[in-house]
Amino acid sequence: MEKFEVKAYGTYAATKLLEPLNIERRKATPQDVEIDILYCGVCHSDLHTARNDWGGTRYPAVPGHEIVGRVTKVGSGVTKFKVGDLAAIGCMVDSCRECLSCKHDLEQYCIPGNTGTYNGRDKHLGGHTFGGYSEKIVVTEHFVLKVPANLDPAATAPLLCAGVTTWSPLRHWKVKKGSHVAVIGLGGLGHMAIKLAKALGADVTLFSRSPEKEKDGLALGAGQVIISTDQKQMLEAKGKFDLIIDTVPYIHDVNLYIPALTVNGTIVLVGYLGPLDPMLNSVPMILGRKSVAGSVIGGIAETQELLDFCGEHHIVSEIEVIKMQDINQAYERMLKSDVRYRFVIDMASLKNESR
Ligand code: NAP
Ligand code: ZN
Ligand code: ZN
């Protein structure tokens, strides 16, 4: 298979910083779209992967799955895109396309497994996939999204992961006007969850450890902010929420939030991945028919639905644009929750780098 080289940033080990490296992309096949990456959002999953928090990271790791760019080539079989179009890539670049999940537009739950935009098995070149911290990406048409023309492309990039990861549970649990939704953690995912739930007509509450974020939470669309370390405020939240979206990236006590659910309410975990500690207590779940669920990103059709919804409602992410060369400092700041509310890399900084 023909290939070409592009500049990228990645890391060779969990304990190493990200550094300049070159990677290979396949030349566009008849089904492929080649995209010149303009912007790439910085997701906490990028950091988890780079540092092997979840195990299984393949090195060198080139993260980035909130990609917006300009189409530079299309294969002869491509019908939805032409050269010059704005296009986006999210967290997946392939799936089996045949299993029950794929047939129901749930490629994220592909039974043999979807191919992650990074750290997936590259079916074309062998080895593993490399993400959006790079100049260009080549992706099969089905996994390429259309970007509404009225949205700022840099601030649109985080919709591809932070946006759809919170949109998908809002849609699955049928959030609508009058629903009571709470969001735990005001970061990349959390701030999108507030904006999207609000736009769907829900009454939104933020649970945060950070009193200094209260003003922002309200400005983003929350009707109230509960400081999760304040026991009195936590007790007052009893029985209030139909759906709670938990975006906290690290181990924490999920039991604290279950009393805040209504009867039949659901808390959906989208942040922390792994065994819970302390363990879940079934008592409030059984006595209130409450559910604890999980959810991963969203399907391709659902991601397009989100992008179109954001176009109609003029919703984008709150961003701080950074240079590719500042990625290691950005990770440190993200760990301290010092980002309002998503870093987005301007890829011109990578293209201009002489190597
Ligand atoms: P982020 O921007 O760093 O935001 C996380 C927020 O959680 C922080 O702003 C903070 O909010 C709160 N928080 C952080 N550490 C905490 C701790 N130790 N205890 C309690 N609260 C804490 O991260 P993100 O990009 O939104 O990602 C959040 C998580 O979702 C990550 O683990 C990421 O890997 C995962 N993720 C999952 C999916 C999926 O498909 N399920 C997709 C994308 C990302 P406050 O200061 O307001 O408390
Ligand atoms: Zn992500
Ligand atoms: Zn499948």
Side-chain angles (χ1 to χ4, degrees), residues 180-256:
H180 293 273
V181 173
V183 175
I184 311 177
L186 188 57
L189 268 56
H191 93 289
M192 287 313 308
I194 294 176
K195 286 190 180 207
L196 296 171
K198 173 81 178 169
L200 286 169
D203 179 66
V204 190
T205 296
L206 167 68
F207 285 102
S208 173
R209 317 165 289 176
S210 312
E212 70 280 4
K213 290 185 187 169
E214 181 168 353
K215 209 164 130 243
D216 286 356
L218 298 174
L220 288 162
Q224 63 165 336
V225 177
I226 295 174
I227 302 305
S228 51
T229 48
D230 182 328
Q231 274 192 345
K232 186 167 166 281
Q233 290 188 36
M234 291 298 279
L235 279 173
E236 282 165 5
K238 197 170 174 196
K240 283 201 173 161
F241 305 111
D242 307 305
L243 182 69
I244 301 179
I245 302 182
D246 182 344
T247 76
V248 174
Y250 296 99
I251 202 152
H252 60 290
D253 189 358
V254 175
N255 295 299
L256 294 177

Side-chain angles (χ1 to χ4, degrees), residues 4-8 21-25 134-136:
F4 62 100
E5 225 175 55
V6 297
K7 288 187 269 190
L21 49 84
N22 290 345
I23 55 169
E24 286 177 332
R25 298 294 191 193
S134 58
E135 291 176 291
K136 282 185 179 240

Side-chain angles (χ1 to χ4, degrees), residues 95-99 101-102 110-112:
S95 71
C96 85
R97 314 280 305 275
E98 285 173 355
C99 72
S101 295
C102 286
C110 174
I111 292 160

Side-chain angles (χ1 to χ4, degrees), residues 43-46 65-66 91 118 161-162 342:
C43 178
H44 210 111
S45 303
D46 299 356
H65 58 202
E66 295 183 337
C91 306
Y118 55 79
C161 176
R342 198 60 140 186

